[in-house]
Structures are given as structure tokens and as C-alpha cells.
Amino acid sequence: MSDLDAFIAGLPKAELHLHLEGSFEPEQMFAIARRNKAVIPFKSVEEVRAAYRFSNLQDFLDIYYQSANVLLTEQDFYDLTFAYLTRVAADRVRHVEVFFDPQTHTARGVSFAVVADGILKALADGEREFGITSKLILCFLRHLSEADALATFKRAEPWLNRIAGVGLDSSEVGHPPSKFTRVYDAARAAGLKLVAHAGEEGPAPYVWEALDLLKIDRIDHGNRSLDDDKLVARLARERITLTVCPLSNLKLCVVKDLKDHPLRRMLQLGLRATVNSDDPAYFGGYVNDNFRAVTKALGLTKAELVTLAKNSFLGSFLDDDDKARHLTAIDFYAAGN
Ligand code: HPA
Ligand code: ZN
């Protein structure tokens, strides 16, 4: 292991952009399919992995939604979530803010309760077992209507004391943030935090809309913001966190090569960028794999790695005392390494 890889391995960090359904590893997919007597269109784990070659976001989403069909019971959602936490405990992840897509499941007859309760129980057990704290973020599927998002939000009402925020994911182009102003107004009125995927494949005006119409607290991806100097200035001035996902960007052809990845430029422009895995089972790695790959490609320094780790806590929805405690732990670690 190189010096920097070892430094990354032990660096305390938070993960702020992770779709639980995207942490569904092929091995677990086969195990759960067998348990549920569900049929999957693959013969082996190798065949599944071979199918994970995408030329854009939609290519990936088609296979991602199909795989999620295997998840039926509360135990399935528990196992999915607990497996993710077990895996990232080894990456020295201390806090996670994870997405789930209830509409993917309720649309095929799995109740909101099954999904949310399974996830929440695993998050509680993960904190007990690994000391990893968590926040849960309910994502609306943007290819569906706002009426469907509003109905989903209504269904979520009994869980809102255990849901930290709402997000927006799925097919971006053609489904701008402006489509979801009313459901974001409702979530804001309920006191929830607000995030949205914007500027992954969609243009910079989608990021403006997420800021001005949805009034989001954080941007997921945000790569295309760099096309617009005024937008960059605003993001820097308002210290808006970007949850950047290098290996996802590579696998979905948002960047051609990791050497072209804008992460370092974002830091140099004063943006609060973070490193995350997005859908690790599909994109070739968990959060430390993302740190290692982008560090190698861009030649990131220890100081930049420390900034990225600090940004992950600064950009989190933890309270100020918890943030301060994690920042101190990073300084302590960096001083000894
Ligand atoms: N973008 C949009 N929707 C998603 C993603 C993503 O990266 N991952 C899972 N759903
Ligand atoms: Zn995402």
C-alpha cells in the first residue's frame, strides 16, 4: 500500500452520497433472490458484473431498477443496509447520510413500512455495532410526476421524525428541479433538509433551479456547475457542499478519464467538494476506492485529502458539536500521520 493509500484508509470520513439500492452487491442479489424465490435474468455473479458497462446514466438506471425488484421483505432492506455499513466501517467511515428510493418499491407493491423499517433498524444496529451515525434521505424519482412525489411524501408522514431530508434522483435531463417545487415546499415546511442531484448530466441552469426554486442545502454531483463562473462564485460564497462521485462519473461517462475529473479544480475554486461512492456495487468501489482512484489520477496531496475529509463532516447534517468532534479527530489523525 502506498503512503497516501494508507493515509486514506485511516482517515475518518463521512459519506454523503450513497444510494442504498446502489450498494446491492451481485452476491447478495443472488442470495436474496434465492430466499425470495425470485427470478433474475443472470446466471452468475460474473454475468452480472459483465453487464455493468454503461454509456450514460439511463443505461445504469435501467439495470439498477431491475435489480431492486428482488428486494421484497423488511429483512431484505435490513440486510442490504447492514451489509453497506459493515463494508464502510472498514473504510473508517464514521457517519453516513444515505438515500433510498421508496417509489421503486411501492410501485411494485412493497409497502413504505417494509422499506423504511428495514433500513432504519439496520441503521440503528450499525450505530451500535460500528459506531457509525446516520441520517436517512428519501429521494423522489424525477422521471415520475410531482403528484407521485407528493403522494410518496404523504405516505412517509409517520416516519418523518426518522427521516432527515429529501432528495431528487433518477433521469436528470428533461426532468428539471422546477418540476418539484411543491413537494420541496412541503418538505421544507415539515422541517426537513433538502438536497437534489443536479449537474450530473443536466446543465448548470438545473443547479441554479435547485438553489433558487427548491432552496436546497446541498448539491449531489454538481459537476456541470463549473460551466458557469457566476454559479461557481455563488456556490463558493454560500459554502454549498457538492457530493462528488468520481468513479460514478467515470462509469457513467460524465468524465472520459479520471485525469479529467474536476475534483481538484473544485477545491482550487473554493468549492466545498466531498468524495462519495454513489452506487458502489455498480461503479467499482466504495468510498475509499473513490479516494484512492482520484488521488492517483489527479495527484492529490495529503492536505487536499484532509480538506476533503473535513468537508464531508462540514457538509453533513450533523449538529455543530458533532462536526467539531469529527474535525478534531481528523486533525489528530493527520498530525500523527
Ligand atoms: N444519478 C441519478 N440517479 C441515481 C443515481 C445517480 O448517480 N444513482 C442512483 N440513482
Ligand atoms: Zn446519486
Side-chain angles (χ1 to χ4, degrees):
M1 204 191 284
S2 82
D3 188 30
L4 280 179
D5 287 353
F7 186 72
I8 289 165
L11 186 60
K13 57 187 74 70
E15 179 153 53
L16 306 180
H17 186 154
L18 180 285
H19 302 263
L20 285 170
E21 293 90 343
S23 71
F24 199 17
E25 292 287 351
E27 290 81 0
Q28 190 174 39
M29 198 192 306
F30 274 93
I32 290 182
R34 204 172 311 123
R35 178 162 95 191
N36 290 341
K37 301 185 172 44
V39 179
I40 47 176
F42 299 105
K43 285 199 207 63
S44 66
V45 165
E46 293 68 35
E47 203 178 288
V48 179
R49 291 204 194 278
Y52 290 174
R53 294 203 287 138
F54 316 110
S55 46
N56 54 40
L57 174 59
Q58 194 59 51
D59 260 7
F60 154 70
L61 291 170
D62 291 343
I63 198 162
Y64 165 79
Y65 294 131
Q66 186 184 53
S67 303
N69 288 341
V70 170
L71 299 163
L72 296 179
T73 68
E74 187 180 303
Q75 187 69 43
D76 298 343
F77 288 93
Y78 178 97
D79 290 349
L80 173 73
T81 306
F82 199 77
Y84 163 69
L85 294 170
T86 305
R87 175 63 188 77
V88 297
D91 279 3
R92 200 131 190 242
V93 169
R94 310 308 302 142
H95 176 69
V96 297
E97 301 192 353
V98 293
F99 302 131
F100 75 121
D101 288 341
Q103 288 156 298
T104 300
H105 314 297
T106 53
R108 55 193 177 83
V110 177
S111 74
F112 190 97
V114 158
V115 180
D117 290 344
I119 292 171
L120 287 163
K121 281 180 188 164
L123 292 175
D125 285 354
E127 180 163 0
R128 235 183 335 266
E129 187 92 5
F130 309 114
I132 299 176
T133 54
S134 64
K135 308 256 181 210
L136 183 58
I137 299 174
L138 184 170
C139 275
F140 302 114
L141 298 180
R142 68 203 305 157
H143 67 275
L144 301 178
S145 68
E146 188 182 42
D148 205 310
L150 283 160
T152 301
F153 190 61
K154 180 121 194 72
R155 203 173 273 152
E157 222 162 61
W159 284 268
L160 290 188
N161 58 341
R162 287 156 286 166
I163 290 176
V166 299
L168 191 60
D169 64 2
S170 187
S171 322
E172 185 180 9
V173 175
H175 303 285
S178 55
K179 184 176 159 185
F180 294 94
T181 50
R182 282 171 306 170
V183 74
Y184 271 69
D185 285 346
R188 191 179 317 106
L192 297 189
K193 296 290 186 185
L194 310 173
V195 303
H197 284 54
E200 181 185 20
E201 285 187 344
Y206 281 25
V207 179
W208 282 107
E209 282 190 10
L211 292 168
D212 290 334
L213 303 181
L214 305 186
K215 302 183 170 61
I216 46 130
D217 298 294
R218 185 161 84 202
I219 292 174
D220 296 313
H221 295 295
N223 298 43
R224 297 282 302 277
S225 307
L226 299 195
D227 298 345
D228 180 337
D229 293 344
K230 278 211 178 88
L231 178 55
V232 168
R234 175 166 178 196
L235 295 172
R237 191 174 60 244
E238 296 184 9
R239 295 195 166 81
I240 306 279
T241 299
L242 305 183
T243 64
V244 179
C245 306
L247 288 173
S248 165
N249 291 159
L250 181 67
K251 292 293 151 82
L252 299 186
C253 306
V254 168
V255 297
K256 272 207 202 68
D257 192 297
L258 270 190
K259 289 193 164 57
D260 306 326
H261 197 280
L263 182 68
R264 167 173 264 158
R265 240 172 80 226
M266 288 170 168
L267 294 177
Q268 289 170 340
L269 289 165
L271 299 180
R272 188 186 273 169
T274 62
V275 170
N276 308 272
S277 69
D278 206 1
D279 301 282
Y282 293 86
F283 300 148
Y286 286 78
V287 65
N288 282 3
D289 297 309
N290 276 269
F291 267 100
R292 281 193 293 270
V294 78
T295 295
K296 182 158 183 262
L298 302 180
L300 298 182
T301 63
K302 246 183 213 184
E304 285 171 318
L305 292 170
V306 166
T307 297
L308 288 164
K310 286 189 173 178
N311 286 352
S312 73
F313 292 107
L314 289 167
S316 75
F317 297 136
L318 288 167
D319 65 30
D320 288 345
D321 286 352
D322 286 329
K323 287 183 186 181
R325 188 168 49 76
H326 286 295
L327 296 185
T328 302
I330 291 172
D331 282 332
F332 184 79
Y333 175 76
N337 286 276

